[in-house]
Amino acid sequence: MSLQEQFDKAAGDVKKLKSLPSDTDLLELYALFKQATVGDADPANKPGMFDLKGKAKWEAWNKKAGTSKEEAQKAYIAKVEALTASIGLQ
């Protein structure tokens, strides 16, 4: 299975987790997914200071700046596998 196929499978599996991961885990998943699919966060699109949720998501993603698509995909797959092992799938 190619890295892209593994990534796509992990993206599907994360939607089948038995329960919602912690906020920290959700931010990590979001950041890795965005880095793997979009690349570095654009500073021009940083949410305003009153958009707390959007700002937290953008900042988590921005911390991944410089990470290659392949590295982000591998980290995302590993994170989903760890969550699957601890939470389980439906």
Side-chain angles (χ1 to χ4, degrees), residues 35-80:
Q35 190 67 26
T37 57
V38 178
D40 291 348
D42 182 358
N45 293 333
K46 184 177 181 179
M49 62 187 236
F50 295 110
D51 181 1
L52 299 178
K53 183 177 178 181
K55 187 176 177 194
K57 290 168 70 174
W58 187 90
E59 287 175 352
W61 177 16
N62 193 47
K63 287 179 184 174
K64 304 296 180 196
T67 304
S68 72
K69 175 181 179 174
E70 292 77 19
E71 288 175 31
Q73 285 180 324
K74 288 176 185 175
Y76 183 86
I77 292 164
K79 185 70 175 175
V80 172

Side-chain angles (χ1 to χ4, degrees), residues 28-44:
E28 181 73 7
L29 287 170
Y30 173 83
L32 290 169
F33 185 86
K34 292 294 276 188
Q35 190 67 26
T37 57
V38 178
D40 291 348
D42 182 358

